[in-house]
Amino acid sequence: MGMRRALYPGSFDPVTNGHIDVIYRAIELFDELIVAIAENDSKTPLFSTEERVESVRKSLRNDIPVQVLILDGLLADFAKKNQINVVIRGLRAVSDFEFEFQMALMNRHLHPQLETVFLTPQEDYTYLSSRLVKEVARLGGDISKFVPPAVATKLKKIYTPCL
Ligand code: ADP
C-alpha cells in the first residue's frame, strides 16, 4: 500500500484550537495531511486566503507531515487530481451532522472513491467555532484560550481600535 494521504478542507476563518486538535489527530492516522483552505467561500471571510494559510502554518509544529494549501474550486476535483481518497471533517455535535452528512454523500457522488472520515476533538473544543470566536473577539472578550497565539494577536489588532 502506498502513502496514505488525507485532505482536511475548510474555511479556517480563523483557525481555532479545535481545528488544530483535529489536525494532530488526523496525522496519527495518515502518513500525510493536506489542509486545504477554501478560497471561494460563499461567506465573506474576515481573513484573506493568504492570511488563513499563514495562520495555520504558524500554528503547527514544523516536524509534522502537513501541507497547507489553497483550495480553489471543487473539493472532489482537487482530491481526484491529487489522487486523494480521504477527506477529514470535524464533528462537534449533532448540529454538525446534517450538513456534514449531505456533504459527504455529495462528495462521494462527485468522486466515488472518496471516503469522509469524521474526527471528534477533545471535549473542551466541542463548543468552539470560528464564527463564535470572531463574535466574542469583536465584542471585546478574551479569546486567547480558543485560538493559537498568532490568531489571538491578529484578532486583537482588528478589534482593538488603539492597537
Ligand atoms: P467550513 O466552512 O467548511 O465548515 P470550518 O473552518 O468552519 O469550515 O471547519 C472545517 C471543518 O472543521 C469542519 O468539518 C468543521 O466541522 C470542523 N471544525 C470546526 N471547528 C471545530 C472544532 N472546534 N472541533 C472539531 N472540528 C471542528
Side-chain angles (χ1 to χ4, degrees):
M1 198 170 8
M3 280 261 286
R4 283 274 188 189
R5 293 204 297 164
L7 198 56
Y8 181 28
S11 315
F12 302 95
D13 183 44
V15 63
T16 69
N17 290 341
H19 295 124
I20 300 292
D21 181 281
V22 167
I23 291 172
Y24 282 106
R25 283 172 202 282
I27 55 171
E28 293 295 321
L29 300 173
F30 296 93
D31 299 316
E32 190 184 6
L33 183 70
I34 297 173
V35 178
I37 315 265
E39 166 122 87
N40 56 345
D41 215 338
S42 40
K43 323 157 195 167
T44 310
L46 177 65
F47 294 101
S48 71
T49 318
E50 291 71 25
E51 279 180 301
R52 287 180 276 144
V53 167
E54 187 197 67
S55 294
V56 177
R57 285 197 182 130
K58 274 194 183 161
S59 308
L60 297 170
R61 294 203 318 265
N62 53 20
D63 61 343
I64 55 171
V66 176
Q67 285 189 66
V68 186
L69 303 176
I70 293 173
L71 171 62
D72 166 20
L74 265 183
L75 173 71
D77 291 343
F78 183 93
K80 258 188 219 160
K81 203 170 63 198
N82 293 283
Q83 297 180 310
I84 300 174
N85 298 328
V86 178
V87 172
I88 304 284
R89 293 288 287 178
L91 260 196
R92 288 161 290 189
V94 187
S95 51
D96 280 338
F97 182 78
E98 186 150 359
F99 176 66
E100 292 295 341
F101 191 66
Q102 285 178 355
M103 287 246 296
L105 292 178
M106 178 57 83
N107 281 330
R108 189 188 275 160
H109 172 79
L110 298 169
H111 175 354
Q113 285 80 37
L114 200 58
E115 294 295 345
T116 302
V117 171
F118 293 106
L119 296 178
T120 301
Q122 187 188 314
E123 246 173 284
D124 314 30
Y125 302 140
T126 50
Y127 57 87
L128 252 191
S129 69
S130 302
R131 189 190 55 77
L132 194 58
V133 162
K134 284 181 282 192
E135 187 69 5
V136 171
R138 188 173 67 80
L139 297 171
D142 178 14
I143 41 72
S144 54
K145 281 210 195 83
F146 308 129
V147 293
V151 174
T153 306
K154 274 178 182 277
L155 284 169
K156 273 182 208 143
K157 276 215 182 101
I158 294 175
Y159 291 119
T160 318
C162 353
L163 277 185

